[in-house]
Amino acid sequence: MARSLIARRQEAERARVEAYELTLRRVARPTRPPPDLHNAIREAERGFAADTIRDPASWKPKLKTRDPARLRLAAARHLFALYPVAPHLEQVWIDATGLDRAETELRKRWYVVAAGGGSLYKAGASTLLSRKEVHAFLNPLGTVGFDEAIWQAIARSTTDDPALVSRITRSRIVRTPRGELAFWREAAQFFCAQPTTVEEIDDLCDYIADRRRRERKFSLKGRSLAALRRLMQAWHRDLAVVARIEAARRRAELARHRSAGEADLTVHWPGAQLADWSWSLSAKASAKRDEYVITQLRTAESLVAESRAMRHCVSSYAAKCIAGFASIWSLRYRRPGNVDRLLTIELDRQHRAVQVRGFANRPAHPDERKVLERWAKARGIILLET
C-alpha cells in the first residue's frame, strides 16, 4: 500500500510539472530575431554604391531597434553622411509611400549630396530653386516635409514674415505638380505680396488651377486680390449652373436608360480603401440613434449633391477622384428623421486630410475637429493643421 501511495504522489507531481511547463510555453514570448543589418545596408546602398564614403562592412550599429525603416536610415547615415541634415531630407529612407520611383531617387540623391557636404544647387536643385532658396531648403523653419520645405524656401525668398511663410506651406500650393512649379511660384509670390487667409488661398487656388487647365497662358501678373476674388465668385456661380444642368441631364439620361431596360450609367469610382465610420456621443442604446457619420463620396451625383448642399466647389474634384489622386468624404450628424451635413474632407493618396471645409468653405469648428481626430485615430488618417 505504501509503495502504491508514493507512486501516485510521484505521478501527480509529474503531471503538475508538465502542466506548468505547458503553461510556460503558452505564455512565454518567442525569441525575437536579431536586427537584419545586412538587408538595411543593402537597401540603403542600392543605386548609390558609387557615392558611399564608408565601407558597408564596417557598419556596427549599437541600435536596440528592429524597425527596418530606422535601420535603413541608420545605414544611410553610415554610408553617406559627413554632416547632419534636416529631417525632411532623411524621411525618404524611413517611408517612401506614395512616391514614384523617380521622386524616390531624387529625394535620396538630394540626401546623399547634402549629407556628404556637396553642392545641392549644382547637383540639380538649380532646376527648381535659386541659391538663396536652396540654403533655406536645407535650413527650414520648424519641422516640415520635403515639399513643404521647397515651398517654404520659395516663400522665404519673397518675404521675411514667418506668418506669411507658414500660410504658403499650409496651403494647397504645396500639393501642386512639380512640373508646374514655375507657375505656382508666381502664385506663392502673389499671396506673399497680397496676404489673405489659408482658407481663401486654397479656394483661390481651386479657381486658379481650373482656369489654368482651360487657359495655359493664364497669369497672375498685374492682378489684384480683389479682382481675383471677383473672378473666383463668378466661377463658383458658373459651377453651380453647370452642376444643375448636369444633374438635370443625368436624370433624363438615367430615366431614358431605365425605361429601355439598360444598365445604370451613374459615374462612380473605387475610391480609397478605407471603410466608412460612425461614432455616437453616448454608449447608451437609446442615444445611439444620434451619431456622427463620415462616408466616402464615390459617385458624380453624390459630389454634385455635396457641392450644392455645402455651397463649395467639391464637384470639380471628380476627375481627381476618378484618377485615384484624391478621395472625398462627408462628415454628417445623423439623428432620427434628419441628417445634417457638417464638413467635406479631401484625402490625398497618403490618407492625409489636405482640405477640411464646412458650409460656404468655412473652417471646421472645434467640436467638429474633435470628431475628425477620433476618425483619424480609428482609420490611420493624418490631419494636417489647416
Side-chain angles (χ1 to χ4, degrees):
M1 269 311 273
R3 289 178 185 174
S4 177
L5 179 60
I6 291 173
R8 287 199 298 271
R9 287 178 176 174
Q10 289 174 340
E11 185 178 347
E13 182 64 23
R14 284 195 298 271
R16 283 195 295 271
V17 170
E18 290 176 358
Y20 178 69
E21 290 177 346
L22 179 61
T23 302
L24 287 179
R25 286 195 295 271
R26 287 175 177 173
V27 301
R29 293 181 178 178
T31 303
R32 292 194 299 172
D36 192 346
L37 304 183
H38 177 71
N39 185 63
I41 204 80
R42 186 176 67 250
E43 288 186 355
E45 188 182 21
R46 185 182 298 134
F48 298 93
D51 300 290
T52 58
I53 59 174
R54 299 184 184 92
D55 183 4
S58 68
W59 187 44
K60 306 295 182 184
K62 297 180 180 179
L63 298 172
K64 295 182 179 179
T65 183
R66 288 170 171 78
D67 179 10
R70 298 199 174 279
L71 287 172
R72 192 163 53 247
L73 173 58
R77 288 171 174 171
H78 170 79
L79 292 174
F80 309 115
L82 288 173
Y83 306 98
V85 296
H88 69 273
L89 281 166
E90 295 185 324
Q91 183 61 31
V92 67
W93 301 104
I94 297 175
D95 184 13
T97 303
L99 303 178
D100 61 26
R101 182 176 179 179
E103 181 67 14
T104 300
E105 290 182 357
L106 179 142
R107 296 189 184 193
K108 287 183 177 180
R109 169 60 59 190
W110 283 25
Y111 169 84
V112 169
V113 172
S119 170
L120 192 58
Y121 181 82
K122 293 179 180 179
S126 59
T127 60
L128 301 175
L129 304 171
S130 66
R131 290 184 184 273
K132 180 180 179 181
E133 290 165 350
V134 168
H135 178 76
F137 173 81
L138 293 172
N139 300 275
L141 302 176
T143 302
V144 293
F146 189 88
D147 288 322
E148 285 83 355
I150 289 177
W151 286 102
Q152 186 189 90
I154 292 172
R156 287 169 66 188
S157 70
T158 304
T159 178
D160 294 326
D161 187 342
L164 292 181
V165 171
S166 176
R167 290 176 197 172
I168 298 300
T169 56
R170 290 186 292 123
S171 74
R172 290 202 56 198
I173 293 175
V174 172
R175 298 183 293 279
T176 52
R178 186 77 55 74
E180 296 195 3
L181 186 140
F183 172 80
W184 289 102
R185 173 192 293 273
E186 179 185 316
Q189 293 168 344
F190 176 90
F191 290 117
C192 285
Q194 303 189 57
T196 183
T197 64
V198 175
E199 291 77 19
E200 187 170 36
I201 290 175
D202 285 349
D203 296 341
L204 290 167
C205 283
D206 284 340
Y207 163 71
I208 293 169
D210 182 78
R211 179 72 178 270
R212 181 161 170 77
R213 280 192 294 268
R214 294 181 287 108
E215 185 181 335
R216 297 300 295 178
K217 293 183 178 181
F218 176 74
S219 172
L220 295 175
K221 291 179 180 178
R223 300 183 188 275
S224 68
L225 183 60
L228 199 60
R229 282 181 183 135
R230 289 192 293 271
L231 290 172
M232 181 186 69
Q233 290 163 1
W235 176 66
H236 276 292
R237 290 192 294 270
D238 291 344
L239 281 179
V241 172
V242 170
R244 288 195 294 271
I245 295 172
E246 178 63 15
R249 185 193 67 79
R250 292 191 59 78
R251 285 195 298 270
E253 183 179 357
L254 289 173
R256 185 168 62 254
H257 284 285
R258 286 182 184 132
S259 64
E262 298 178 10
D264 192 342
L265 300 180
T266 302
V267 177
H268 62 277
W269 47 87
Q273 298 302 307
L274 292 173
D276 291 348
W277 176 85
S278 63
W279 174 70
S280 178
L281 286 168
S282 174
K284 295 181 180 179
S286 60
K288 284 189 176 180
R289 292 175 296 177
D290 292 7
E291 61 181 353
Y292 288 97
V293 177
I294 297 184
T295 183
Q296 186 172 182
L297 308 181
R298 302 173 189 263
T299 68
E301 289 184 341
S302 62
L303 277 186
V304 170
E306 183 81 358
S307 185
R308 293 179 64 185
M310 300 293 281
R311 293 191 184 177
H312 51 43
C313 60
V314 76
S315 60
S316 65
Y317 285 47
K320 290 177 66 176
C321 294
I322 293 170
F325 295 126
S327 60
I328 303 298
W329 301 73
S330 178
L331 169 62
R332 302 169 184 181
Y333 184 63
R334 185 165 60 196
R335 54 185 183 274
N338 193 32
V339 176
D340 295 326
R341 298 177 190 254
L342 303 179
L343 296 172
T344 307
I345 307 113
E346 178 193 355
L347 300 186
D348 65 9
R349 281 178 163 178
Q350 288 78 47
H351 296 161
R352 298 181 301 176
V354 296
Q355 277 203 96
V356 178
R357 293 290 180 267
F359 184 78
N361 282 315
R362 67 164 176 81
H365 296 317
D367 56 332
E368 296 168 342
R369 184 80 184 183
K370 291 178 181 178
V371 176
L372 291 181
E373 289 169 356
R374 286 180 174 272
W375 173 55
K377 185 176 181 180
R379 294 291 184 263
I381 291 161
I382 301 171
L383 291 179
L384 303 182
E385 295 297 326
T386 57

